[in-house]
């Protein structure tokens, strides 16, 4: 099928089987290096993307269900306003997460920092439970993220790609 | 899969039901369980339900109770003010399901069919029903006893329905790790002047549905909570015919399920 989606703010058109997992469409057909498959069961977080603004495991999203959607990956979040403090702290960190987990963690962090997506009493550790970091564990990143969330002004974030379908 | 399956994506519930009436299709909702399974098992025809969200993605709570469309996500349940206020058990169970990313994809209909542990326990304790529609019929089946094979090929799961709990009811949810695996307990309990006047309890493991602890409910009703009552109530929990010998003989039961039960019974009444 002909799949049309908005990828990191740009229109993308690609041919893909309708049940091909979105992770394969993004990584193999559209060259998005940050989105990779680890478990293919939605358990490891390596393939997480924002689909219409919500974090999802792209390995369990069939291509047909992403047709017409807004997809945001790690590459599309480099200049994100809400993530600026996160990137700043990661640059200063002596032990940042490695490339395997980092893209999924950043996608999850973006969702967590969006007050419209975060539940009232949700902690970063709970929100990012689908990103089990194997280098130093999830807890240090989650603590940092909780700190960023507490310090963030209670203003609406820049227009986040969210469209309830 | 040896041959690519036929895939359809109807954009109305009516057209989806017409397709199901004509031939068997494998419905595909959020895909968190089915997409990995399709890779291993395949299916000749797959009916993607994503275009039915305008009709089936809703969460409605009023004085009569809850009605949640089959395409509502678990995150929709967890973030609904109405669910949090009137069905907190459901909101808590939805947050206990996998991770936030999964909750944004997993649907009410999908978890009814896969009988995911936390949601299955909550559905059973709330005495919820599954609504199934075909071109000609609408029927409801108790969620606690609903099995995937109970859906006729011409039917689609369209909603979860739960009546408003009785007044002064406390809803609680807990999970614990036992030698047999993770156990989820959902409880709907009412205490009046320190006496348990109403109890509905369900336990579930990670998958495979929930079991209502009807015998335990009978033991609890009309009694004052305490350690001795908890022990008696647990000893009565013999409904799980698939439980291992240790569980059935009570060696696994006192802890931690006892702790979960004691927590459920604690409270003002």
């Amino acid at each position: 099928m002909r799949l049309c989606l908005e990828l990191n703010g740009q229109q993308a058109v690609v041919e893909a089987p309708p049940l091909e997992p979105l992770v394969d469409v993004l990584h193999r057909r559209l060259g998005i290096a940050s989105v990779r498959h680890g478990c293919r069961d939605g358990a490891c977080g390596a393939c997480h993307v924002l689909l219409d603004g919500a974090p999802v495991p792209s390995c369990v999203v069939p291509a047909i269900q992403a047709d017409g959607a807004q997809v945001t990956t790690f590459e599309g979040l480099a200049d994100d306003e809400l993530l600026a403090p996160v990137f700043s702290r990661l640059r200063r960190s002596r032990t940042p997460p490695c490339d395997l987990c980092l893209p999924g963690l950043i996608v999850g962090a973006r969702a967590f920092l969006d007050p419209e997506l975060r539940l009232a009493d949700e902690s970063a550790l709970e929100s990012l439970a689908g990103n089990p970091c194997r280098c130093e564990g999830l807890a240090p990143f989650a603590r940092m993220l909780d700190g960023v969330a507490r310090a963030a002004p209670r203003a609406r974030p820049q227009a986040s790609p969210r469209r309830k379908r | 899969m040896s041959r690519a399956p036929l895939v359809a994506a109807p954009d109305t519930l009516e057209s989806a039901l017409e397709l199901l009436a004509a031939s068997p299709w494998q419905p595909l909702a959020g895909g968190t369980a089915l997409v990995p399974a399709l890779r291993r098992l395949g299916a000749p025809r797959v009916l993607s339900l994503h275009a039915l969200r305008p009709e089936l993605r809703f969460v409605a709570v009023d004085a009569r109770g809850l009605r949640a469309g089959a395409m509502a996500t678990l995150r929709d349940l967890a973030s609904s003010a109405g669910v949090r206020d009137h069905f907190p058990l459901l909101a808590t169970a939805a947050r206990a399901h996998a991770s936030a990313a999964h909750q944004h994809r997993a649907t009410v209909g999908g978890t009814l069919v896969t009988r995911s542990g936390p949601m299955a326990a909550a559905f059973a304790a709330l005495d919820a029903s599954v609504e199934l529609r075909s071109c000609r019929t609408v029927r409801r089946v108790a969620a606690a006893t609903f099995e995937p094979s109970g859906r006729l090929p011409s039917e689609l799961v369209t909603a979860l329905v739960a009546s408003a709990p009785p007044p002064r009811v406390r809803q609680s949810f807990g999970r614990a790790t036992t030698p047999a695996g993770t156990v989820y307990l959902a409880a709907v309990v009412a205490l009046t002047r320190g006496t348990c006047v109403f109890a509905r309890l369900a336990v579930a493991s990670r998958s495979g549905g929930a079991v209502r602890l009807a015998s335990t409910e009978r033991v609890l009703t009309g009694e004052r909570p305490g350690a001795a009552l908890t022990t008696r109530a647990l000893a009565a929990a013999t409904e799980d015919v698939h439980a291992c010998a240790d569980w059935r003989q009570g060696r696994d039961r006192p802890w931690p399920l006892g702790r979960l039960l004691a927590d459920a019974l604690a409270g003002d009444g």
Side-chain angles (χ1 to χ4, degrees), chain B residues 46-73:
Chain B
V46 175
L47 193 71
S48 181
L49 305 177
H50 65 283
L52 302 187
R53 287 187 190 121
E55 290 179 81
L56 295 184
R57 185 180 181 180
F58 62 87
V59 178
V61 180
D62 60 23
R64 289 172 300 178
L66 163 76
R67 185 179 163 78
M71 290 300 287
T73 66

Side-chain angles (χ1 to χ4, degrees), chain A residues 19-138:
Chain A
L19 296 182
E20 180 169 281
L22 182 61
V23 61
D24 291 324
V25 175
L26 294 172
H27 189 90
R28 295 181 183 174
R29 298 182 190 272
L30 292 171
I32 302 297
S34 72
V35 181
R36 63 202 71 180
H37 47 79
C39 67
R40 289 193 172 274
D41 276 328
C44 74
C47 69
H48 283 191
V49 300
L50 296 178
L51 184 68
D52 291 328
V56 298
S58 62
C59 65
V60 300
V61 178
I64 191 172
Q65 295 193 1
D67 189 28
Q70 293 172 332
V71 178
T72 307
T73 71
F74 175 75
E75 289 83 347
L77 294 172
D79 297 321
D80 187 86
E81 220 173 272
L82 284 182
L83 287 171
V86 175
F87 288 131
S88 171
R89 294 185 194 203
L90 284 175
R91 276 193 289 272
R92 295 197 302 267
S93 169
R94 292 182 184 178
T95 55
C98 75
D99 287 351
L100 185 61
C101 289
L102 185 63
L105 287 171
I106 293 298
V107 166
R110 178 57 177 83
F112 178 74
L113 292 174
D114 185 341
E116 291 190 13
L117 282 180
R118 186 167 74 242
L119 299 175
D121 57 348
E122 187 176 29
S123 68
L125 199 62
E126 177 185 350
S127 181
L128 296 176
N131 302 80
C133 172
R134 291 156 187 82
C135 290
E136 57 171 8
L138 181 58

